[in-house]
Amino acid sequence: AFLNQFPTTFKLVKNPSGYLITAGNLINADDQTFIQERINTVNKLQKEDLKNLYREIIANGQFNEEGGAGLGFIELAKTSGQKIGYTFDPISTSLKYFTIYLELRN
């Protein structure tokens, strides 16, 4: 029932400084801490550090078919050069709606 009420979303909006990308989906509430830690780590790194971390994860095999080691977050930050924004909205005791925000500047 929650999937119909809270569908996966993706939005690309042009604004004067470039584009704003937002994407959202339901997650298990237990996954919030893991996701937050990954994004916060990525947000603290400079571009060269992001490249090095990406290479390190690939070289050490710290990922699976779905990523799992924050490769997607690293790639977003590397490509955009911007910090990743996010929110977690409670849906139930076991579910949250996770939204990620990223600005691509001209």
Side-chain angles (χ1 to χ4, degrees), residues 23-71:
N25 64 288
L26 280 176
I27 64 163
N28 289 320
D30 294 342
D31 294 333
Q32 178 178 343
T33 301
F34 175 79
I35 293 169
Q36 271 182 283
E37 288 173 355
R38 296 290 180 181
I39 294 174
N40 290 342
T41 297
V42 166
N43 280 344
K44 291 176 187 171
L45 299 175
Q46 300 300 316
K47 191 166 189 157
E48 195 59 37
D49 297 324
L50 288 168
K51 288 180 189 176
N52 293 335
L53 179 59
Y54 188 89
R55 283 188 220 127
E56 182 182 318
I57 290 170
I58 296 292
N60 293 332
Q62 298 173 337
F63 62 95
N64 56 34
E65 292 79 29
E66 294 87 35
L71 289 176

Side-chain angles (χ1 to χ4, degrees), residues 6 26 29 32 87-98:
F6 302 99
L26 280 176
Q32 178 178 343
T87 59
F88 294 93
D89 296 308
I91 303 302
S92 70
T93 56
S94 63
L95 294 172
K96 295 204 176 180
Y97 197 83
F98 168 57

